[in-house]
Amino acid sequence: MRYKVTHTTAYSYQQTVGLSYNEVRMLPRPTPNQQVIDTQLQILPSPSEYRVRNDFFGNQVAWFSIREPHQTFEVTAVSEVRGIRQPAQMDLSHGVAWETAKQILHSEISEPTLDARQYALDSPLVSAGPELAAYAKPSFAPGRALPEAIRDLMQRIYRDFTFDPEFTTLSTPLATVLEHRRGVCQDFAHLAIGCIRSQGLAARYVSGYIETLPPPGQPKLVGADASHAWFSVYLPDLGWMDFDPTNNQTPGDQHIVVAWGRDYSDVTPLKGVIFGGQDHELSVSVEMENLGQ
């Protein structure tokens, strides 16, 4: 299966911007489940400087500056991805107990485990406090298999929380989301990550997209036509496994991975510094087209 993803972010400024510096994380990354055939950025006005690097987490980052005075600014990422395949299904009721997984995470010194250990720590937007531990506790019964515990947590978040794009912003504290039981995909991913970390386990934030066209006869998935977010959990001996609490599913062939990190602050699609501009209007659009085989 092949997909074409077009992600456009546009700013219109009240006054002229004389100089801007920007970072973009909108280019899908190669993974065992997806092959990036082609990906490119279209930037208006044309940048004066431009370079691409991989960040600490292996995400592709484009850095550029615009020195031409401007009142509009647009970044479009156009990517073609192939080889999306449904990950092999596993019986989530079997597997290592979550307490054993925790012990392995904090004692084993293999490279994958050492890398995963950083995702068990607090991060700028996710602190594993007692409130999150209390919410997580019913899912982590003694001796329960880790995959089953995570699935239960995902299902509880899906059932207990309401998707409400008007309730939160990027700066809404996680405690507010937990108290009011409302938010968006970013909030639900952060909530799950905090709950998992509160149990001494490793979880990371994943940004990406969901296919915009639903299967025949099925409702459109929440998060379509926008950037999406979910989370991934480290399973000893198996590696990372993704869960999407917004849609109550384990991501498969409808999810495109762009980047991952400790939380949203590590994978922000577009951020930068401008000189001038004053007030602005922002528009974001995402189109994910299924190109077939």
Side-chain angles (χ1 to χ4, degrees):
M1 196 68 70
R2 293 185 301 128
Y3 294 89
K4 179 181 178 182
V5 182
T6 304
H7 181 174
T8 300
T9 301
Y11 285 88
S12 178
Y13 299 103
Q14 185 180 51
Q15 297 184 16
T16 299
V17 174
L19 174 65
S20 70
Y21 298 97
N22 306 275
E23 275 192 354
V24 174
R25 289 174 174 82
M26 294 163 55
L27 305 175
R29 62 182 293 166
T31 76
N33 294 322
Q34 67 182 34
Q35 175 190 5
V36 179
I37 299 171
D38 183 53
T39 184
Q40 56 183 308
L41 285 179
Q42 301 166 0
I43 304 169
L44 294 173
S46 297
S48 304
E49 300 173 273
Y50 178 88
R51 56 180 178 266
V52 177
R53 64 178 177 87
N54 287 337
D55 67 13
F56 176 80
F57 303 101
N59 306 308
Q60 192 170 186
V61 184
W63 178 93
F64 61 91
S65 65
I66 299 176
R67 301 179 184 274
E68 171 188 338
H70 57 281
Q71 284 190 262
T72 60
F73 167 54
E74 183 175 292
V75 178
T76 299
V78 181
S79 305
E80 184 176 339
V81 182
R82 181 174 62 195
I84 308 299
R85 64 179 185 272
Q86 184 74 29
Q89 294 297 308
M90 61 177 292
D91 185 349
L92 299 185
S93 64
H94 290 79
V96 64
W98 71 268
E99 299 98 330
T100 302
K102 174 181 176 180
Q103 181 182 14
I104 292 173
L105 177 67
H106 293 280
S107 61
E108 191 176 275
I109 58 173
S110 68
E111 183 176 341
T113 303
L114 290 174
D115 177 71
R117 200 174 296 171
Q118 66 183 310
Y119 297 101
L121 304 174
D122 285 350
S123 55
L125 299 179
V126 181
S127 296
E131 296 84 2
L132 292 177
Y135 182 80
K137 186 176 180 180
S139 295
F140 291 86
R144 195 174 201 178
L146 176 56
E148 184 181 29
I150 301 302
R151 178 177 59 183
D152 183 74
L153 176 65
M154 174 185 70
Q155 292 173 340
R156 290 175 53 224
I157 292 173
Y158 178 78
R159 182 179 64 248
D160 295 345
F161 288 76
T162 300
F163 186 90
D164 185 352
E166 304 299 324
F167 181 73
T168 60
T169 67
L170 295 177
S171 60
T172 301
L174 194 51
T176 301
V177 175
L178 183 61
E179 177 184 358
H180 294 276
R181 305 294 173 99
R182 311 183 77 83
V184 294
C185 57
Q186 171 191 307
D187 303 308
F188 303 153
H190 281 160
L191 175 68
I193 290 168
C195 288
I196 294 164
R197 291 177 182 170
S198 75
Q199 305 304 304
L201 299 163
R204 66 190 183 192
Y205 183 99
V206 185
S207 69
Y209 311 107
I210 298 179
E211 185 178 3
T212 56
L213 296 177
Q218 295 187 22
K220 195 171 189 176
L221 291 175
V222 174
D225 299 318
S227 295
H228 192 43
W230 56 98
F231 70 93
S232 189
V233 177
Y234 182 69
L235 308 176
D237 300 327
L238 294 176
W240 292 91
M241 184 174 183
D242 290 1
F243 295 83
D244 181 353
T246 304
N247 293 296
N248 192 30
Q249 62 181 229
T250 53
D253 57 5
Q254 289 180 291
H255 288 70
I256 297 287
V257 174
V258 172
W260 60 60
R262 297 165 300 168
D263 58 37
Y264 175 83
S265 66
D266 288 331
V267 300
T268 307
L270 174 62
K271 63 181 179 180
V273 176
I274 65 171
F275 295 86
Q278 298 298 323
D279 294 336
H280 67 268
E281 294 183 359
L282 168 66
S283 65
V284 178
S285 66
V286 174
E287 179 182 356
M288 184 170 167
E289 181 182 1
N290 189 326
L291 302 177
Q293 298 294 334

